[in-house]
Amino acid sequence: SQQGEEDPQALSIQEGENATMNCSYKTSINNLQWYRQNSGRGLVHLILIRSNEREKHSGRLRVTLDTSKKSSSLLITASRAADTASYFCATAEDNYGQNFVFGPGTRLSVLP
Amino acid sequence: GAGVSQSPSNKVTEKGKDVELRCDPISGHTALYWYRQSLGQGLEFLIYFQGNSAPDKSGLPSDRFSAERTGGSVSTLTIQRTQQEDSAVYLCASSLWGHNTGELFFGEGSRLTVL
């Protein structure tokens, strides 16, 4: 699989339910970031978690990082119709390389 | 400006023509990235500028693609002799710090359609 690959590719839930998306990567990283993209728009940064952190919260978002498994998860609690978007993880290699690697994304649909 | 600005927002061109896409990053941001996003796909890295350093061009798909950044600010992505497979949304992002240490701020993208 490619670096920063999200799973599932698509997710459909009812409003009020929780949504969980996963990201796997291959190399050692400096940090991992999650972004959101509404249809036809640019990406918006949601949260950054560093390689020495295991969990981070921001409002209804909870991100975990397991560097031993090279994986991260994004949990959106009490989802709303407005959360409908594509969610991408981006990894930054720990060699201070110059490139963020984005996965193909998870398309989340929250049904009212 | 307040955010990353890209122009044009939409560009339709004929196969074989050259196109220029412009990105105006957030003032003071030293790092600037170009990505390409095909319909329903993830982001493909194209090129990265960091301050006055030589750009990382490792993601450019062919020698028809080039980019420059003048005065450490505005960047132009040029595609020569466009092909239909160049059709995509071209996203620009800037970051206060380089070297992958901070968040990226994206523009709304330039949608290129090659007929």
Side-chain angles (χ1 to χ4, degrees), chain A residues 30-31 33 35 37 40-45 48 50 88 91-93 96-105 107, chain B residues 33 35 37 40-43 45 48 50 54-56 58 91 95 99-109 111:
Chain A
N30 172 275
N31 66 73
Q33 304 183 33
Y35 288 81
Q37 184 181 35
R41 308 295 299 274
L43 279 73
V44 175
H45 180 263
L48 180 153
R50 303 197 184 282
F88 296 88
T91 53
E93 294 181 359
Y96 284 93
Q98 299 167 346
N99 182 16
F100 291 90
V101 179
F102 285 81
R107 275 192 298 281
Chain B
Y33 301 76
Y35 287 88
Q37 185 178 32
Q41 301 298 309
L43 277 68
F45 167 73
Y48 162 78
Q50 172 58 45
D56 176 358
S58 61
L91 291 163
S95 178
H99 303 298
N100 304 347
T101 55
E103 67 179 274
L104 296 178
F105 293 82
F106 280 85
E108 294 292 307
R111 180 177 299 278

Side-chain angles (χ1 to χ4, degrees), chain A residues 6-68:
Chain A
E6 293 89 350
D7 163 55
Q9 291 186 345
L11 180 61
S12 184
I13 60 173
Q14 295 293 133
E15 207 165 23
E17 293 180 338
N18 296 341
T20 300
M21 290 159 268
N22 302 297
C23 170
S24 61
Y25 58 92
K26 289 186 173 181
T27 64
S28 296
I29 60 171
N30 172 275
N31 66 73
L32 184 146
Q33 304 183 33
W34 284 91
Y35 288 81
R36 165 199 168 118
Q37 184 181 35
N38 284 26
S39 181
R41 308 295 299 274
L43 279 73
V44 175
H45 180 263
L46 294 176
I47 197 164
L48 180 153
I49 186 165
R50 303 197 184 282
S51 60
N52 60 353
E53 298 176 308
R54 292 297 167 259
E55 187 171 313
K56 208 162 183 180
H57 296 255
S58 177
R60 293 183 297 111
L61 306 180
R62 172 176 169 253
V63 169
T64 62
L65 179 65
D66 187 336
T67 53
S68 66

Side-chain angles (χ1 to χ4, degrees), chain B residues 7 31 40 48-49 53 56 63 82:
Chain B
S7 62
Y48 162 78
F49 296 89
S53 301
D56 176 358
D63 59 8
T82 52

